[in-house]
Amino acid sequence: MKKFFSCILLAAMTAPAFAQQDANMGIIPVPVSVQKHSGSFILDKTVLLVSNNAENNHTTDLLNAFIVNKGGFSLRESKKASANQKAIVITSDGADKLPTEGYNIKITKNKIEITGKGAGLFYGVQSVMQLMPEKEGDKITIQTAEINDFPRFKYRGMHLDVGRHYFPVAFVKKYIDLMAQYKLNNFHWHLTEDQGWRIEIKKYPKLVSVGSSRNGTIIGRYPGVENDNEVYKGYYTQEEVKDIVAYAATKFVNVIPEIEMPGHASAAIAAYPELSVFPDRDTFIDPKTPWAGPRNGKQVQQTWGVFDDVFVPTENTFTFLENVLDEVIALFPSKYIHIGGDESPKKYWEESEFCQKFIKDNNLKDEHGLQSYFIQRIEKYLNKKGRSIIGWDEILEGGLAPNATVMSWRGLEGGIASAQQHHDVIMTPSTNGLYFDHQQSNSPDEPTSIGGFAPMTKVYSYDPVPDVLTADQQKYIIGVQANLWTEYIKTPAKVEYMILPRMFALAEIAWSPKDRKDFKNFSEERLPLHLARLDKTNTNYWVPTPIGQTEKVLNGEKFNIELKTPVQGAKIYYTLDNTRPSVYGNLYNSSIKVNVPKGKKLALKTIVIMPSGKTSVVTETTLNNGAPETVTKAK
């Protein structure tokens, strides 16, 4: 084991070669094929950067800027190079023969040629940037190889809820940057909620003057131990939206806005009470919920959950929604507009004489039929405008709108049913690890979250195509997405903690061929390199726990526990005396040999500490030699 750990230290000292040693050259998501060859390309300031297509200028500049940061030198740019000139060539010649969004990289001793078109070329450059090791002296040594790559799914998404908590424009752009670096191409922007309306609509100014502000927010898990009594507000102006959409386009990321209906509408109803089924009713406030400010009238919600006050299906409401969508369409060129459709209670519709008469007059079966009518009417309006709708899987209830794409979140069933009805499906099941607001481990160190358990292993093991579908039905699974709901996520730093490194696992299931997935290679070879790079930036992330440790109870008398650091340069500290491990404790540098007395148990507690000082949660393994099964958890 001492020899093994020496190898780990050597790898940390010779990090420049790390990506080259890995069979996949350190690239996430893993490419379709990587063929490594003998020899190296030496990147230094004598290399020419060649591109003869003005359409590729942005991608060319992106690579040169990266080389400046990585190597400390800029490459001279040219439209052509002589036969003997060492060069990096960025080209779209021959790209028409590649699959959509595909690219090819050829690395020889004298040339790196990146071939692709549009997004494909951009992704090829991202892969080249990932495979570049650290510089040695005044040069970067890159192994010769050929890489062919293209995506498994055309839709590869990340979602961000800004309704519960607002995030600054600069951070939204950073979120898009992270997506683009890992070949994710659809940013689902959840803009309206019960707790806040976050997009300026000029025709309805009260949506932001009233709907974007709440008088307080609960503290702690629902229903809350207290209210912070602080006004919380924030929204994006139309100019800011245009800026974000344009920025995303330079990264080949499509921005999909979500305007929730008919439920999750409290903020809009607080601004315009006539949109409610019962406009004169006060907002229902759960007596268990600590509340700030007045209780009368319509209120922006201060707590989390699902609320009965939903849009009333009047002509006024439909006119309102159509006017809102007109302004949204003008801001977002996306083919898709997400209209929500989830968690819309039927109680107010059941109690309303108007709604009951509406159901009868329109020959609808029940309130589910009314929801289907509502969604289909909005779909027809958007279709006439040249757009298509996406809705959460509740839009299946009462009959699916004819051209709708379904986002299956409650499990696999909604996606299966939709594909069987020949509707496009984006798989985003909360049951399979794709809700990134769920906990990443069972450690008590995890920050407050909505609950659930979604470790990176669960994310990585998910296959978006259900086995029960026929080959014909499987083609309707167009992609996969992870969602980040922000009830318990107030800051950009916590957003980063919750999405990283799980977003890397998402990228691999969204992009890479199923038979190329290899969790051991991902987690032990490539991921450590990417996290080591992140550790040198101002980006937060969840630090993985030691490789080789289990949280299960181990029974026996003698143990020889071998661990491995999950990130380059990290250190593992441990205790066996039920105290919390820290940098002042035992440093792991060889296997841990433990003898447990008969009838006793010991708790092996570990923590990973990064060079930056970031730490993992404490992980605990109980070593039991016939003692009662009660386990003492870390505090």
Side-chain angles (χ1 to χ4, degrees), residues 393 395-404 406 413-425 469 472-473 476:
D393 56 55
I395 68 172
L396 283 159
E397 298 167 0
L400 195 52
N403 302 307
V406 173
E413 293 76 14
I416 292 169
S418 301
Q420 289 171 339
Q421 296 177 40
H422 293 182
H423 280 265
D424 284 348
V425 178
L469 296 177
D472 181 63
Q473 292 165 350
Y476 292 99

Side-chain angles (χ1 to χ4, degrees), residues 455-564:
M456 187 170 58
T457 52
K458 188 174 184 179
V459 179
Y460 193 88
S461 65
Y462 174 60
D463 180 13
V465 180
D467 292 337
V468 298
L469 296 177
T470 67
D472 181 63
Q473 292 165 350
Q474 288 178 3
K475 70 183 182 183
Y476 292 99
I477 307 296
I478 64 169
V480 61
Q481 175 176 291
N483 298 329
L484 188 74
W485 303 100
T486 62
E487 288 94 334
Y488 302 98
I489 303 174
K490 296 181 179 180
T491 64
K494 191 170 181 182
V495 169
E496 293 169 354
Y497 177 91
M498 299 303 282
I499 68 171
L500 298 170
R502 289 185 287 193
M503 192 184 80
F504 302 158
L506 169 73
E508 196 133 308
I509 66 174
W511 177 278
S512 305
K514 185 178 178 180
D515 61 4
R516 289 281 286 145
K517 288 173 59 182
D518 179 344
F519 186 71
K520 182 176 176 64
N521 174 263
F522 171 81
S523 62
E524 298 186 24
E525 300 294 332
R526 290 177 288 131
L527 182 62
L529 176 66
H530 288 253
L531 292 181
R533 289 170 177 165
L534 268 185
D535 199 57
K536 297 175 182 178
T537 71
N538 64 349
T539 302
N540 197 22
Y541 61 94
W542 184 85
V543 178
T545 55
I547 296 169
Q549 185 173 8
T550 178
E551 293 182 284
K552 296 179 180 178
V553 175
L554 300 179
N555 294 300
E557 177 185 355
K558 296 183 178 181
F559 299 89
N560 183 37
I561 298 169
E562 296 186 353
L563 305 175
K564 183 179 178 181

Side-chain angles (χ1 to χ4, degrees), residues 79 141 205 328 373 439 475 478 493:
K79 291 184 178 181
T141 304
V328 169
Y373 171 92
Q439 288 187 182
K475 70 183 182 183
I478 64 169

Side-chain angles (χ1 to χ4, degrees), residues 100-101 150-158 183-186 254 256 334-338 388-391 403-408 414-416 418-420 422-429 434 462-466 469-482 506-507 509-512:
T100 303
E101 297 183 287
F150 56 88
R152 182 184 180 193
F153 295 106
K154 67 179 182 181
Y155 184 107
R156 306 176 301 278
M158 278 289 294
K183 305 180 177 73
L184 299 171
N185 65 350
N186 280 280
N254 175 51
I256 299 173
S334 171
K335 167 190 171 183
Y336 293 118
I337 305 294
H338 203 302
S388 299
I389 69 164
I390 297 177
N403 302 307
T405 295
V406 173
M407 210 166 250
S408 187
I416 292 169
S418 301
Q420 289 171 339
H422 293 182
H423 280 265
D424 284 348
V425 178
I426 298 159
M427 298 300 291
T428 178
L434 297 188
Y462 174 60
D463 180 13
V465 180
L469 296 177
T470 67
D472 181 63
Q473 292 165 350
Q474 288 178 3
K475 70 183 182 183
Y476 292 99
I477 307 296
I478 64 169
V480 61
Q481 175 176 291
L506 169 73
I509 66 174
W511 177 278
S512 305

Side-chain angles (χ1 to χ4, degrees), residues 308-327:
D308 291 327
D309 208 352
V310 301
F311 286 137
V312 62
T314 60
E315 287 305 310
N316 178 65
T317 297
F318 286 115
T319 297
F320 165 83
L321 290 171
E322 289 168 2
N323 289 336
V324 167
L325 290 170
D326 283 347
E327 293 195 31

